[in-house]
Amino acid sequence: GAGVSQTPSNKVTEKGKYVELRCDPISGHTALYWYRQSLGQGPEFLIYFQGTGAADDSGLPNDRFFAVRPEGSVSTLKIQRTERGDSAVYLCASSLTGGAVYEQFFGPGTRLTVL
Amino acid sequence: EDQVTQSPEALRLQEGESSSLNCSYTVSGLRGLFWYRQDPGKGPEFLFTLYSAGEEKEKERLKATLTKKESFLHITAPKPEDSATYLCAVRFGTSYGKLTFGQGTILTVHP
């Protein structure tokens, strides 16, 4: 596709459950990013992949959060034992490669609601 | 502490009434300042990147400028379709991937 796609668009789960959120980056983009956006706030960085490896995971809030990108394209953000505070829009972005000069292009996000 | 602050939080304009949004930052080693537009229920849409003080970029009714401590997004003769949240973000230091965002300015343009 032409842009970054994310599935599902909405996810409702119960406290304590496990969820997976998927991101398909723009074709040819080697860098991929995950952010989380709470209502009325700007996006908050979670993790950055360059190829298959996590180049910076300093934004992951705790060990319940984990992300993979096994083939250097699609990425999955995994959240274990979800808590109500995890409710937010999870945004994925990609760029041609990592580094300061490349713009990040965002997907539409997955709205996660933890009941 | 590294910070990005946007002002005002919300701005209401009449169609054709020009104004500016502000993004101030306190970071070390700025490597780029980015402006995005975000419509309700959608992801941020890239507008501009600025790298050094004095740089300016324009797109239609929008013009972005950068100084050593802040950036302005000037909106000339806005139209209702310019209504959106405008986000500013910075990349700094050795954080080649991470963008640090401000909280955004909600712009409403009335016809």
Side-chain angles (χ1 to χ4, degrees), chain A residues 33 35 37 40-43 45 48 56 91 99-108, chain B residues 31 34 36 38 41-44 46 49 51 87 91 95-99 101-103:
Chain A
Y33 315 81
Y35 292 83
Q37 187 173 26
Q41 301 297 314
F45 172 80
Y48 152 48
D56 182 355
L91 294 164
V101 301
Y102 294 103
E103 304 88 38
Q104 296 180 18
F105 296 92
F106 283 80
Chain B
R31 293 186 177 276
F34 302 79
Y36 285 85
Q38 187 172 29
K42 297 191 176 182
F46 171 76
T49 309
Y51 292 106
L87 294 163
R91 188 183 269 148
S95 301
Y96 288 106
K98 173 182 177 179
L99 290 180
F101 281 84
Q103 80 278 19

Side-chain angles (χ1 to χ4, degrees), chain A residues 20-34:
Chain A
E20 290 189 351
L21 312 179
R22 176 189 167 108
C23 172
D24 270 282
I26 293 171
S27 178
H29 281 193
T30 64
L32 185 146
Y33 315 81
W34 284 98

Side-chain angles (χ1 to χ4, degrees), chain B residues 20-47:
Chain B
S20 296
L21 314 182
N22 177 264
C23 172
S24 63
Y25 58 93
T26 53
V27 302
S28 299
L30 182 74
R31 293 186 177 276
L33 185 141
F34 302 79
W35 282 98
Y36 285 85
R37 167 191 172 129
Q38 187 172 29
D39 292 299
K42 297 191 176 182
E45 174 189 348
F46 171 76
L47 293 174

